[in-house]
Amino acid sequence: MDRFESFISEEEIKQKVKQIAAKISSDYEGESLFVIGVLTGAFIFTADLVRELTVDVEGIDFIQISSYQGDRSTGNFVFKKDISSDISGKNILLVEDIIDTGRTLKKLKEMLLTRNPRSIKICTACDKPSRRVTELVPDYNCFTIPDKFIVGYGLDYDGVYRDFKDIRIVRPENEQ
Ligand code: IMP
Ligand code: MG
């Protein structure tokens, strides 16, 4: 059995999401925002965040990208799902569950910039800055975390545990 250690409670997450949404709403006051969630991990955070924003949300879409199998370290990616909207001239908020090396978001940001949005900012639920191999820094971050593997609130370990309402550190069975 995988073991878990409590890390961030449901209540702490709710409060932080409200705070970040208020900051974003004030930064974009008088403007519209187009939100792009990074699948699959950001589906819950995106849903919570957009419902707390008071600024005009002109659209919500999702994008999915993954590393070529067996090639994670080189950062070669395959696009699995593209957005279906034209983002030119729009203020884009790219929403992610966690930033680790930063490769995924660097790649996504570069690709989206070729489509001439008015602006792109990054909002992440969690950030592990100690693991970064790129210069990527999120514009909005709920929780800065140490180099531990976490699950819940959309984050998975091998496809499971995304449905937990809180965030936990997982100690997999084969590593105990
Ligand atoms: P990056 O390209 O290295 O920044 O990878 C970010 C992706 O790695 C996230 O979208 C997650 O899918 C995954 N990831 C990194 N750390 C964790 C973790 O602690 N728990 C679950 N997924 C993680
Ligand atoms: Mg992910």
PDB file of all heavy atoms in Angstrom, residues 38 41 72 77 96-105 128 131-132 145 148-151 155-157 162, ligand 1:
ATOM      1  N   VAL A  38      -3.748  23.270 -18.099  1.00  0.00           N
ATOM      2  CA  VAL A  38      -2.887  22.206 -18.629  1.00  0.00           C
ATOM      3  C   VAL A  38      -3.388  20.864 -18.086  1.00  0.00           C
ATOM      4  O   VAL A  38      -3.356  20.616 -16.879  1.00  0.00           O
ATOM      5  CB  VAL A  38      -1.406  22.441 -18.253  1.00  0.00           C
ATOM      6  CG1 VAL A  38      -0.513  21.378 -18.887  1.00  0.00           C
ATOM      7  CG2 VAL A  38      -0.947  23.833 -18.678  1.00  0.00           C
ATOM      8  N   GLY A  41      -3.509  17.391 -14.864  1.00  0.00           N
ATOM      9  CA  GLY A  41      -3.347  17.806 -13.468  1.00  0.00           C
ATOM     10  C   GLY A  41      -4.062  19.072 -13.053  1.00  0.00           C
ATOM     11  O   GLY A  41      -4.489  19.203 -11.911  1.00  0.00           O
ATOM     12  N   ARG A  72      12.238  11.630 -21.046  1.00  0.00           N
ATOM     13  CA  ARG A  72      11.846  12.741 -20.178  1.00  0.00           C
ATOM     14  C   ARG A  72      12.948  13.764 -20.003  1.00  0.00           C
ATOM     15  O   ARG A  72      12.684  14.960 -20.025  1.00  0.00           O
ATOM     16  CB  ARG A  72      11.429  12.218 -18.807  1.00  0.00           C
ATOM     17  CG  ARG A  72      10.009  11.689 -18.847  1.00  0.00           C
ATOM     18  CD  ARG A  72       9.376  11.583 -17.484  1.00  0.00           C
ATOM     19  NE  ARG A  72       7.947  11.414 -17.657  1.00  0.00           N
ATOM     20  CZ  ARG A  72       7.089  12.394 -17.616  1.00  0.00           C
ATOM     21  NH1 ARG A  72       7.487  13.613 -17.376  1.00  0.00           N
ATOM     22  NH2 ARG A  72       5.810  12.183 -17.808  1.00  0.00           N
ATOM     23  N   PHE A  77       8.778  16.892 -26.491  1.00  0.00           N
ATOM     24  CA  PHE A  77       7.358  16.786 -26.167  1.00  0.00           C
ATOM     25  C   PHE A  77       6.486  16.399 -27.350  1.00  0.00           C
ATOM     26  O   PHE A  77       6.806  16.686 -28.488  1.00  0.00           O
ATOM     27  CB  PHE A  77       6.857  18.121 -25.618  1.00  0.00           C
ATOM     28  CG  PHE A  77       7.423  18.452 -24.270  1.00  0.00           C
ATOM     29  CD1 PHE A  77       8.464  19.354 -24.149  1.00  0.00           C
ATOM     30  CD2 PHE A  77       6.924  17.858 -23.118  1.00  0.00           C
ATOM     31  CE1 PHE A  77       8.986  19.661 -22.900  1.00  0.00           C
ATOM     32  CE2 PHE A  77       7.443  18.155 -21.879  1.00  0.00           C
ATOM     33  CZ  PHE A  77       8.474  19.052 -21.762  1.00  0.00           C
ATOM     34  N   GLU A  96      -1.419  25.678 -14.311  1.00  0.00           N
ATOM     35  CA  GLU A  96      -0.749  24.373 -14.168  1.00  0.00           C
ATOM     36  C   GLU A  96      -0.900  23.861 -12.736  1.00  0.00           C
ATOM     37  O   GLU A  96      -1.119  24.639 -11.803  1.00  0.00           O
ATOM     38  CB  GLU A  96       0.735  24.559 -14.557  1.00  0.00           C
ATOM     39  CG  GLU A  96       1.622  23.353 -14.441  1.00  0.00           C
ATOM     40  CD  GLU A  96       1.248  22.168 -15.320  1.00  0.00           C
ATOM     41  OE1 GLU A  96       0.119  21.659 -15.187  1.00  0.00           O
ATOM     42  OE2 GLU A  96       2.113  21.708 -16.089  1.00  0.00           O
ATOM     43  N   ASP A  97      -0.791  22.545 -12.560  1.00  0.00           N
ATOM     44  CA  ASP A  97      -0.878  21.983 -11.212  1.00  0.00           C
ATOM     45  C   ASP A  97       0.430  22.174 -10.445  1.00  0.00           C
ATOM     46  O   ASP A  97       0.430  22.558  -9.282  1.00  0.00           O
ATOM     47  CB  ASP A  97      -1.259  20.483 -11.258  1.00  0.00           C
ATOM     48  CG  ASP A  97      -0.338  19.631 -12.135  1.00  0.00           C
ATOM     49  OD1 ASP A  97       0.580  20.177 -12.799  1.00  0.00           O
ATOM     50  OD2 ASP A  97      -0.541  18.397 -12.181  1.00  0.00           O
ATOM     51  N   ILE A  98       1.552  21.904 -11.114  1.00  0.00           N
ATOM     52  CA  ILE A  98       2.847  22.018 -10.421  1.00  0.00           C
ATOM     53  C   ILE A  98       3.952  22.295 -11.445  1.00  0.00           C
ATOM     54  O   ILE A  98       3.911  21.765 -12.554  1.00  0.00           O
ATOM     55  CB  ILE A  98       3.142  20.734  -9.606  1.00  0.00           C
ATOM     56  CG1 ILE A  98       4.404  20.891  -8.743  1.00  0.00           C
ATOM     57  CG2 ILE A  98       3.254  19.500 -10.474  1.00  0.00           C
ATOM     58  CD1 ILE A  98       4.551  19.828  -7.656  1.00  0.00           C
ATOM     59  N   ILE A  99       4.889  23.117 -11.058  1.00  0.00           N
ATOM     60  CA  ILE A  99       6.069  23.339 -11.904  1.00  0.00           C
ATOM     61  C   ILE A  99       7.247  22.658 -11.233  1.00  0.00           C
ATOM     62  O   ILE A  99       7.547  22.915 -10.062  1.00  0.00           O
ATOM     63  CB  ILE A  99       6.369  24.838 -12.105  1.00  0.00           C
ATOM     64  CG1 ILE A  99       5.131  25.570 -12.617  1.00  0.00           C
ATOM     65  CG2 ILE A  99       7.530  25.010 -13.099  1.00  0.00           C
ATOM     66  CD1 ILE A  99       5.333  27.063 -12.780  1.00  0.00           C
ATOM     67  N   ASP A 100       7.878  21.781 -11.982  1.00  0.00           N
ATOM     68  CA  ASP A 100       8.988  20.991 -11.461  1.00  0.00           C
ATOM     69  C   ASP A 100      10.259  21.479 -12.170  1.00  0.00           C
ATOM     70  O   ASP A 100      10.846  22.474 -11.772  1.00  0.00           O
ATOM     71  CB  ASP A 100       8.650  19.520 -11.754  1.00  0.00           C
ATOM     72  CG  ASP A 100       9.577  18.534 -11.095  1.00  0.00           C
ATOM     73  OD1 ASP A 100       9.916  18.721  -9.917  1.00  0.00           O
ATOM     74  OD2 ASP A 100       9.966  17.552 -11.757  1.00  0.00           O
ATOM     75  N   THR A 101      10.670  20.834 -13.240  1.00  0.00           N
ATOM     76  CA  THR A 101      11.845  21.314 -13.978  1.00  0.00           C
ATOM     77  C   THR A 101      11.536  22.611 -14.727  1.00  0.00           C
ATOM     78  O   THR A 101      12.431  23.389 -15.044  1.00  0.00           O
ATOM     79  CB  THR A 101      12.319  20.280 -15.025  1.00  0.00           C
ATOM     80  OG1 THR A 101      11.291  20.114 -16.011  1.00  0.00           O
ATOM     81  CG2 THR A 101      12.643  18.946 -14.388  1.00  0.00           C
ATOM     82  N   GLY A 102      10.264  22.809 -15.051  1.00  0.00           N
ATOM     83  CA  GLY A 102       9.860  23.997 -15.813  1.00  0.00           C
ATOM     84  C   GLY A 102       9.810  23.752 -17.306  1.00  0.00           C
ATOM     85  O   GLY A 102       9.415  24.634 -18.071  1.00  0.00           O
ATOM     86  N   ARG A 103      10.191  22.558 -17.735  1.00  0.00           N
ATOM     87  CA  ARG A 103      10.254  22.273 -19.180  1.00  0.00           C
ATOM     88  C   ARG A 103       8.884  22.323 -19.849  1.00  0.00           C
ATOM     89  O   ARG A 103       8.752  22.842 -20.956  1.00  0.00           O
ATOM     90  CB  ARG A 103      10.869  20.893 -19.418  1.00  0.00           C
ATOM     91  CG  ARG A 103      12.364  20.843 -19.154  1.00  0.00           C
ATOM     92  CD  ARG A 103      12.922  19.538 -19.724  1.00  0.00           C
ATOM     93  NE  ARG A 103      14.348  19.426 -19.497  1.00  0.00           N
ATOM     94  CZ  ARG A 103      14.908  18.567 -18.642  1.00  0.00           C
ATOM     95  NH1 ARG A 103      14.144  17.760 -17.918  1.00  0.00           N
ATOM     96  NH2 ARG A 103      16.203  18.519 -18.504  1.00  0.00           N
ATOM     97  N   THR A 104       7.885  21.742 -19.190  1.00  0.00           N
ATOM     98  CA  THR A 104       6.545  21.682 -19.796  1.00  0.00           C
ATOM     99  C   THR A 104       6.022  23.086 -20.093  1.00  0.00           C
ATOM    100  O   THR A 104       5.593  23.384 -21.211  1.00  0.00           O
ATOM    101  CB  THR A 104       5.553  20.968 -18.840  1.00  0.00           C
ATOM    102  OG1 THR A 104       6.112  19.718 -18.458  1.00  0.00           O
ATOM    103  CG2 THR A 104       4.207  20.762 -19.495  1.00  0.00           C
ATOM    104  N   LEU A 105       6.084  23.952 -19.089  1.00  0.00           N
ATOM    105  CA  LEU A 105       5.516  25.287 -19.281  1.00  0.00           C
ATOM    106  C   LEU A 105       6.362  26.151 -20.193  1.00  0.00           C
ATOM    107  O   LEU A 105       5.832  26.989 -20.921  1.00  0.00           O
ATOM    108  CB  LEU A 105       5.318  25.976 -17.934  1.00  0.00           C
ATOM    109  CG  LEU A 105       4.044  25.567 -17.219  1.00  0.00           C
ATOM    110  CD1 LEU A 105       3.868  26.378 -15.960  1.00  0.00           C
ATOM    111  CD2 LEU A 105       2.819  25.742 -18.110  1.00  0.00           C
ATOM    112  N   LYS A 128       7.963  23.809  -7.309  1.00  0.00           N
ATOM    113  CA  LYS A 128       9.133  23.170  -6.688  1.00  0.00           C
ATOM    114  C   LYS A 128      10.372  23.835  -7.285  1.00  0.00           C
ATOM    115  O   LYS A 128      11.027  23.253  -8.156  1.00  0.00           O
ATOM    116  CB  LYS A 128       9.194  21.691  -7.101  1.00  0.00           C
ATOM    117  CG  LYS A 128       8.409  20.720  -6.283  1.00  0.00           C
ATOM    118  CD  LYS A 128       8.751  19.310  -6.791  1.00  0.00           C
ATOM    119  CE  LYS A 128       7.729  18.308  -6.383  1.00  0.00           C
ATOM    120  NZ  LYS A 128       7.941  16.989  -7.040  1.00  0.00           N
ATOM    121  N   ARG A 131      13.907  22.208  -8.124  1.00  0.00           N
ATOM    122  CA  ARG A 131      14.061  21.213  -9.188  1.00  0.00           C
ATOM    123  C   ARG A 131      14.230  21.854 -10.572  1.00  0.00           C
ATOM    124  O   ARG A 131      14.372  21.165 -11.579  1.00  0.00           O
ATOM    125  CB  ARG A 131      12.820  20.329  -9.218  1.00  0.00           C
ATOM    126  CG  ARG A 131      12.625  19.528  -7.951  1.00  0.00           C
ATOM    127  CD  ARG A 131      13.047  18.114  -8.144  1.00  0.00           C
ATOM    128  NE  ARG A 131      12.449  17.552  -9.346  1.00  0.00           N
ATOM    129  CZ  ARG A 131      12.944  16.523 -10.007  1.00  0.00           C
ATOM    130  NH1 ARG A 131      14.057  15.951  -9.605  1.00  0.00           N
ATOM    131  NH2 ARG A 131      12.336  16.055 -11.072  1.00  0.00           N
ATOM    132  N   ARG A 132      14.209  23.163 -10.639  1.00  0.00           N
ATOM    133  CA  ARG A 132      14.163  23.847 -11.930  1.00  0.00           C
ATOM    134  C   ARG A 132      15.423  23.660 -12.773  1.00  0.00           C
ATOM    135  O   ARG A 132      16.524  23.762 -12.252  1.00  0.00           O
ATOM    136  CB  ARG A 132      13.955  25.333 -11.686  1.00  0.00           C
ATOM    137  CG  ARG A 132      13.288  25.996 -12.860  1.00  0.00           C
ATOM    138  CD  ARG A 132      11.810  25.670 -13.008  1.00  0.00           C
ATOM    139  NE  ARG A 132      10.997  26.706 -12.441  1.00  0.00           N
ATOM    140  CZ  ARG A 132      10.292  26.551 -11.339  1.00  0.00           C
ATOM    141  NH1 ARG A 132      10.254  25.387 -10.726  1.00  0.00           N
ATOM    142  NH2 ARG A 132       9.599  27.550 -10.860  1.00  0.00           N
ATOM    143  N   ILE A 145       6.861  24.425  -2.596  1.00  0.00           N
ATOM    144  CA  ILE A 145       7.036  23.186  -1.837  1.00  0.00           C
ATOM    145  C   ILE A 145       8.441  22.610  -2.001  1.00  0.00           C
ATOM    146  O   ILE A 145       9.118  22.886  -2.992  1.00  0.00           O
ATOM    147  CB  ILE A 145       5.981  22.129  -2.240  1.00  0.00           C
ATOM    148  CG1 ILE A 145       6.094  21.828  -3.734  1.00  0.00           C
ATOM    149  CG2 ILE A 145       4.572  22.566  -1.913  1.00  0.00           C
ATOM    150  CD1 ILE A 145       5.364  20.578  -4.096  1.00  0.00           C
ATOM    151  N   LYS A 148       9.521  17.057  -2.746  1.00  0.00           N
ATOM    152  CA  LYS A 148       8.789  15.858  -2.308  1.00  0.00           C
ATOM    153  C   LYS A 148       7.767  15.551  -3.383  1.00  0.00           C
ATOM    154  O   LYS A 148       7.315  16.467  -4.072  1.00  0.00           O
ATOM    155  CB  LYS A 148       8.016  16.143  -1.015  1.00  0.00           C
ATOM    156  CG  LYS A 148       8.872  16.607   0.117  1.00  0.00           C
ATOM    157  CD  LYS A 148       9.340  15.432   0.920  1.00  0.00           C
ATOM    158  CE  LYS A 148      10.087  15.910   2.161  1.00  0.00           C
ATOM    159  NZ  LYS A 148      10.867  14.832   2.758  1.00  0.00           N
ATOM    160  N   PHE A 149       7.369  14.293  -3.510  1.00  0.00           N
ATOM    161  CA  PHE A 149       6.349  13.954  -4.499  1.00  0.00           C
ATOM    162  C   PHE A 149       4.976  14.058  -3.860  1.00  0.00           C
ATOM    163  O   PHE A 149       4.681  13.374  -2.881  1.00  0.00           O
ATOM    164  CB  PHE A 149       6.578  12.560  -5.096  1.00  0.00           C
ATOM    165  CG  PHE A 149       5.892  12.434  -6.416  1.00  0.00           C
ATOM    166  CD1 PHE A 149       6.501  12.889  -7.574  1.00  0.00           C
ATOM    167  CD2 PHE A 149       4.589  11.936  -6.499  1.00  0.00           C
ATOM    168  CE1 PHE A 149       5.845  12.831  -8.802  1.00  0.00           C
ATOM    169  CE2 PHE A 149       3.929  11.874  -7.712  1.00  0.00           C
ATOM    170  CZ  PHE A 149       4.566  12.311  -8.870  1.00  0.00           C
ATOM    171  N   ILE A 150       4.156  14.936  -4.409  1.00  0.00           N
ATOM    172  CA  ILE A 150       2.837  15.176  -3.812  1.00  0.00           C
ATOM    173  C   ILE A 150       1.707  14.722  -4.732  1.00  0.00           C
ATOM    174  O   ILE A 150       1.865  14.677  -5.960  1.00  0.00           O
ATOM    175  CB  ILE A 150       2.656  16.663  -3.445  1.00  0.00           C
ATOM    176  CG1 ILE A 150       2.882  17.565  -4.671  1.00  0.00           C
ATOM    177  CG2 ILE A 150       3.597  17.062  -2.321  1.00  0.00           C
ATOM    178  CD1 ILE A 150       2.518  19.014  -4.445  1.00  0.00           C
ATOM    179  N   VAL A 151       0.581  14.412  -4.098  1.00  0.00           N
ATOM    180  CA  VAL A 151      -0.610  13.974  -4.845  1.00  0.00           C
ATOM    181  C   VAL A 151      -1.850  14.647  -4.283  1.00  0.00           C
ATOM    182  O   VAL A 151      -1.841  15.181  -3.177  1.00  0.00           O
ATOM    183  CB  VAL A 151      -0.808  12.439  -4.793  1.00  0.00           C
ATOM    184  CG1 VAL A 151       0.306  11.710  -5.524  1.00  0.00           C
ATOM    185  CG2 VAL A 151      -0.941  11.941  -3.358  1.00  0.00           C
ATOM    186  N   LEU A 155      -3.222  16.398  -8.743  1.00  0.00           N
ATOM    187  CA  LEU A 155      -1.894  15.795  -8.948  1.00  0.00           C
ATOM    188  C   LEU A 155      -1.963  14.280  -8.759  1.00  0.00           C
ATOM    189  O   LEU A 155      -2.580  13.798  -7.809  1.00  0.00           O
ATOM    190  CB  LEU A 155      -0.909  16.373  -7.937  1.00  0.00           C
ATOM    191  CG  LEU A 155      -0.542  17.832  -8.159  1.00  0.00           C
ATOM    192  CD1 LEU A 155      -0.305  18.527  -6.829  1.00  0.00           C
ATOM    193  CD2 LEU A 155       0.690  17.927  -9.034  1.00  0.00           C
ATOM    194  N   ASP A 156      -1.288  13.553  -9.631  1.00  0.00           N
ATOM    195  CA  ASP A 156      -1.372  12.093  -9.568  1.00  0.00           C
ATOM    196  C   ASP A 156      -0.038  11.431  -9.292  1.00  0.00           C
ATOM    197  O   ASP A 156       1.034  12.023  -9.464  1.00  0.00           O
ATOM    198  CB  ASP A 156      -1.896  11.541 -10.901  1.00  0.00           C
ATOM    199  CG  ASP A 156      -0.838  11.628 -11.998  1.00  0.00           C
ATOM    200  OD1 ASP A 156      -0.304  12.741 -12.226  1.00  0.00           O
ATOM    201  OD2 ASP A 156      -0.509  10.589 -12.611  1.00  0.00           O
ATOM    202  N   TYR A 157      -0.139  10.165  -8.869  1.00  0.00           N
ATOM    203  CA  TYR A 157       1.023   9.273  -8.875  1.00  0.00           C
ATOM    204  C   TYR A 157       0.575   8.090  -9.718  1.00  0.00           C
ATOM    205  O   TYR A 157      -0.367   7.387  -9.341  1.00  0.00           O
ATOM    206  CB  TYR A 157       1.391   8.831  -7.445  1.00  0.00           C
ATOM    207  CG  TYR A 157       2.405   7.711  -7.424  1.00  0.00           C
ATOM    208  CD1 TYR A 157       3.706   7.934  -7.864  1.00  0.00           C
ATOM    209  CD2 TYR A 157       2.060   6.434  -7.001  1.00  0.00           C
ATOM    210  CE1 TYR A 157       4.638   6.912  -7.883  1.00  0.00           C
ATOM    211  CE2 TYR A 157       2.985   5.404  -7.006  1.00  0.00           C
ATOM    212  CZ  TYR A 157       4.274   5.649  -7.451  1.00  0.00           C
ATOM    213  OH  TYR A 157       5.193   4.633  -7.466  1.00  0.00           O
ATOM    214  N   ARG A 162      -5.713  11.741  -7.894  1.00  0.00           N
ATOM    215  CA  ARG A 162      -6.051  13.105  -8.310  1.00  0.00           C
ATOM    216  C   ARG A 162      -7.279  13.632  -7.579  1.00  0.00           C
ATOM    217  O   ARG A 162      -7.467  14.829  -7.459  1.00  0.00           O
ATOM    218  CB  ARG A 162      -6.384  13.132  -9.821  1.00  0.00           C
ATOM    219  CG  ARG A 162      -5.210  12.863 -10.732  1.00  0.00           C
ATOM    220  CD  ARG A 162      -5.622  13.203 -12.165  1.00  0.00           C
ATOM    221  NE  ARG A 162      -4.750  12.618 -13.172  1.00  0.00           N
ATOM    222  CZ  ARG A 162      -3.598  13.149 -13.561  1.00  0.00           C
ATOM    223  NH1 ARG A 162      -3.162  14.267 -13.028  1.00  0.00           N
ATOM    224  NH2 ARG A 162      -2.880  12.561 -14.497  1.00  0.00           N
TER     225      ARG A 162
HETATM  226  P1  IMP B   1       8.067  19.921 -15.488  1.00  0.00           P
HETATM  227  O1  IMP B   1       8.015  19.984 -16.965  1.00  0.00           O
HETATM  228  O2  IMP B   1       9.263  19.166 -14.992  1.00  0.00           O
HETATM  229  O3  IMP B   1       7.924  21.274 -14.811  1.00  0.00           O
HETATM  230  O4  IMP B   1       6.897  18.973 -15.075  1.00  0.00           O
HETATM  231  C1  IMP B   1       5.720  19.361 -14.527  1.00  0.00           C
HETATM  232  C2  IMP B   1       4.831  18.139 -14.497  1.00  0.00           C
HETATM  233  O5  IMP B   1       5.451  17.063 -13.761  1.00  0.00           O
HETATM  234  C3  IMP B   1       3.554  18.444 -13.764  1.00  0.00           C
HETATM  235  O6  IMP B   1       2.555  18.913 -14.631  1.00  0.00           O
HETATM  236  C4  IMP B   1       3.205  17.098 -13.178  1.00  0.00           C
HETATM  237  O7  IMP B   1       2.473  16.331 -14.120  1.00  0.00           O
HETATM  238  C5  IMP B   1       4.518  16.409 -12.945  1.00  0.00           C
HETATM  239  N1  IMP B   1       4.949  16.496 -11.533  1.00  0.00           N
HETATM  240  C6  IMP B   1       6.072  17.074 -11.057  1.00  0.00           C
HETATM  241  N2  IMP B   1       6.170  16.961  -9.733  1.00  0.00           N
HETATM  242  C7  IMP B   1       5.059  16.291  -9.326  1.00  0.00           C
HETATM  243  C8  IMP B   1       4.568  15.871  -8.032  1.00  0.00           C
HETATM  244  O8  IMP B   1       5.166  16.092  -6.957  1.00  0.00           O
HETATM  245  N3  IMP B   1       3.393  15.204  -8.040  1.00  0.00           N
HETATM  246  C9  IMP B   1       2.685  14.942  -9.176  1.00  0.00           C
HETATM  247  N4  IMP B   1       3.099  15.317 -10.405  1.00  0.00           N
HETATM  248  C10 IMP B   1       4.280  15.997 -10.477  1.00  0.00           C
END
